[in-house]
């Protein structure tokens, strides 16, 4: 819902070679001049698709087209992004939620894989000031890291 984050995701997706972007028609940021500016023009060149019912779309994509659906998630059930592996040529769709709320439960239930980007902070510093105030990355940064890592798999 944030134009700076959305523009950043579009820019990173284009730079890193994503085939397209799919957004929820009802719950995502609009295609505004601010999004276009932050995307550095990527908005005008990327394949961008809007869907009304994300959960149904993902279910159909998995069933009819054998996509892996990767959801970003904090928690014990998520694996380290670096440990994710696919067979060569596998179609992959990355699901990102808004900052704070994350991915909705209904959409998250369609994921075939749950991944997280663990901190690289020395374990002795985790949970201690000032490091206790940051528990995740900005969604635009997370998108770039995930796209880059998954394109290498």
């Amino acid at each position: 819902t944030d134009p700076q984050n959305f523009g950043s995701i579009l820019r990173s997706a284009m730079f890193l070679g994503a085939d397209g972007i799919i957004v929820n028609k009802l719950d995502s940021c609009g295609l505004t001049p601010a999004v276009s500016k932050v995307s550095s023009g990527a908005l005008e060149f990327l394949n961008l698709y809007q869907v009304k019912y994300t959960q149904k779309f993902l279910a159909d994509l998995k069933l009819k087209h054998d996509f892996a659906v990767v959801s970003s998630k904090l928690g014990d059930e998520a694996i380290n992004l670096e440990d994710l592996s696919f067979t060569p040529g596998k179609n992959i769709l990355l699901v990102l939620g808004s900052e704070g709320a994350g991915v909705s439960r209904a959409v998250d239930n369609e994921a075939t894989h749950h991944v997280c980007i663990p901190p690289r902070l020395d374990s002795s510093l985790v949970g201690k000031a000032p490091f206790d105030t940051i528990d995740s990355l900005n969604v635009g940064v997370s998108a770039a890291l995930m796209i880059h890592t998954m394109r290498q798999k």
Side-chain angles (χ1 to χ4, degrees), residues 42-134:
L43 173 61
E44 284 75 27
F45 297 103
L46 268 173
N47 293 318
L48 186 64
Y49 306 95
Q50 292 182 321
V51 297
K52 191 171 183 180
Y53 302 106
T54 307
Q55 180 184 7
K56 182 180 179 339
F57 174 80
L58 294 176
D60 289 346
L61 204 60
K62 288 187 319 187
L63 182 66
K64 296 176 183 172
H65 301 285
D66 193 34
F67 266 75
V69 177
V70 179
S71 177
S72 59
K73 188 170 192 164
L74 296 173
D76 294 337
E77 64 269 15
I79 64 168
N80 183 324
L81 175 63
E82 294 175 355
D83 295 333
L84 188 64
S85 64
F86 298 104
T87 56
K90 182 73 172 174
N91 292 316
I92 305 166
L93 189 136
L94 173 61
V95 177
L96 300 167
S98 62
E99 289 189 25
V103 177
S104 74
R105 183 170 303 190
V107 169
D108 189 62
N109 286 339
E110 295 300 331
T112 57
H113 303 78
H114 293 97
V115 297
C116 67
I117 302 170
R120 295 286 187 211
L121 190 61
D122 183 286
S123 62
S124 67
L125 299 175
V126 174
K128 296 181 181 168
F131 306 105
D132 58 341
T133 60
I134 300 172

